[in-house]
C-alpha cells in the first residue's frame, strides 16, 4: 500500500490534488491511500507518530509552520531521508531554502493533471512501483490482467474464475495452487481451498468469512482461520 500525504491550507487545492492522484492510481491499478493536512503542525504531528507515509505534496506558503520548516523537521529532527517531498507553490523564489530539505521535485501552481502525472511517473519508477500482471490462457491465447484489477480467484471444478473489481469475470482451466505460486503473497492470501483473495479488496472480515468490496462473502476454512486473521491484521498495519 503506497501512502501519500497532501498538505496545503487551501481546501480547493487539496481536493483537486487528491482527485489527480486518485485518477493516476486508478489508471495504473496502483493501490494507495491519501492523507490530507491543512497545517504544517498537523502534518508534523502525523509524521512524528507514523512511519508509513511514502510521499508528501507540500505547500510552501503555510501559516505558522511553513513547508520549508516541515521539510526541515522531517529531515533534521526525524532523520527521515526516505519519505519523498514534492513542493508546490505559486512562487519560484525558494530554490536555495528547498535544497536543504532535499525534495524530489517542485511544482508551480496552478496544478494540472499532466504535472502530477509527470512527477508521479518519476516517483513510481524511482521506487520500482508498477502494475504487475497475471497471465493465463483461454483457447490457447495468452491474456494479461493487472493484479490490482483482481479482487479474488475462485476455484470450481478444475476451472479458475478471476473475479475483477469492475464486476467482470474471466474463466480458464487450472488449479488454485498453480495460481498461488504465480502471484505475490504480499498481494494475495489463500483463505480456503477455493479462494485466493486480494488483501486490498477486503471490506470486512470475521473469524470464518471475509466480505469483498463487491459484496461477495467468502468462507475461511477452519484450518486457515488463525493464520488468515493474523495475516489480515498485519497487512492493515503495513
Amino acid at each position: 500500500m503506497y501512502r501519500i500525504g497532501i498538505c496545503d491550507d487551501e481546501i480547493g487545492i487539496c481536493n483537486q490534488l487528491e482527485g489527480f492522484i486518485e485518477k493516476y492510481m486508478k489508471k495504473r491499478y496502483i493501490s494507495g491511500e491519501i492523507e490530507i493536512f491543512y497545517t504544517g503542525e498537523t502534518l508534523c504531528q502525523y509524521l512524528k507518530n507514523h512511519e508509513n507515509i511514502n510521499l508528501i505534496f507540500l505547500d510552501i506558503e503555510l501559516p505558522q509552520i511553513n513547508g520549508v520548516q516541515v521539510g526541515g523537521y522531517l529531515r533534521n529532527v526525524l532523520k527521515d531521508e526516505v519519505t519523498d517531498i514534492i513542493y508546490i507553490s505559486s512562487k519560484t523564489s525558494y530554490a536555495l531554502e528547498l535544497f536543504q530539505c532535499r525534495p524530489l521535485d517542485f511544482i508551480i501552481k496552478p496544478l494540472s493533471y499532466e504535472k502530477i502525472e509527470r512527477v508521479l511517473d518519476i516517483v513510481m519508477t524511482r521506487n520500482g512501483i508498477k502494475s504487475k500482471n497475471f497471465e493465463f490462457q483461454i483457447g490457447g491465447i495468452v491474456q494479461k490482467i493487472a493484479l490490482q484489477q483482481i479482487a479474488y480467484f475462485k476455484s470450481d471444478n478444475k476451472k479458475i474464475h478471476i473475479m475483477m473489481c469492475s464486476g467482470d469475470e474471466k474463466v480458464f482451466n487450472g488449479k488454485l495452487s498453480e495460481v498461488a505460486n504465480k502471484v505475490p503473497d504480499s498481494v494475495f492470501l489463500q483463505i480456503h481451498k477455493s479462494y485466493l483473495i486480494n488483501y486490498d479488496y477486503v471490506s470486512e472480515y470475521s473469524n470464518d468469512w471475509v466480505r469483498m468490496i463487491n459484496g461477495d462473502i467468502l468462507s475461511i476454512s477452519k484450518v486457515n482461520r488463525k493464520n488468515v486473521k493474523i495475516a489480515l491484521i498485519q497487512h492493515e498495519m503495513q
Side-chain angles (χ1 to χ4, degrees), residues 116-163:
I116 302 306
E117 182 179 45
R118 177 192 63 79
V119 75
L120 284 177
D121 276 344
I122 294 171
V123 172
M124 298 307 163
T125 299
R126 185 172 181 263
N127 287 281
I129 298 172
K130 60 182 180 179
S131 297
K132 296 181 180 179
N133 298 317
F134 176 75
E135 293 188 7
F136 58 101
Q137 290 190 36
I138 298 178
I141 299 174
V142 176
Q143 299 190 27
K144 296 181 180 182
I145 297 178
L147 294 180
Q148 288 301 326
Q149 285 185 278
I150 302 171
Y152 67 95
F153 295 93
K154 179 176 71 174
S155 175
D156 181 23
N157 195 25
K158 298 183 180 180
K159 291 188 179 295
I160 301 297
H161 298 251
I162 304 176
M163 313 302 291

Side-chain angles (χ1 to χ4, degrees), residues 23-62:
K23 178 181 177 180
Y24 180 91
M25 296 292 197
K26 185 176 181 180
K27 283 178 65 176
R28 287 161 175 76
Y29 304 105
I30 296 171
S31 178
E33 290 183 353
I34 303 171
E35 296 283 346
I36 295 178
F37 309 89
Y38 299 110
T39 68
E41 295 90 330
T42 55
L43 175 55
C44 286
Q45 189 62 39
Y46 181 91
L47 293 171
K48 179 181 178 181
N49 296 324
H50 297 76
E51 298 179 357
N52 58 354
I53 194 162
N54 305 105
L55 168 66
I56 304 170
F57 285 89
L58 182 56
D59 184 28
I60 297 175
E61 295 91 13
L62 295 169

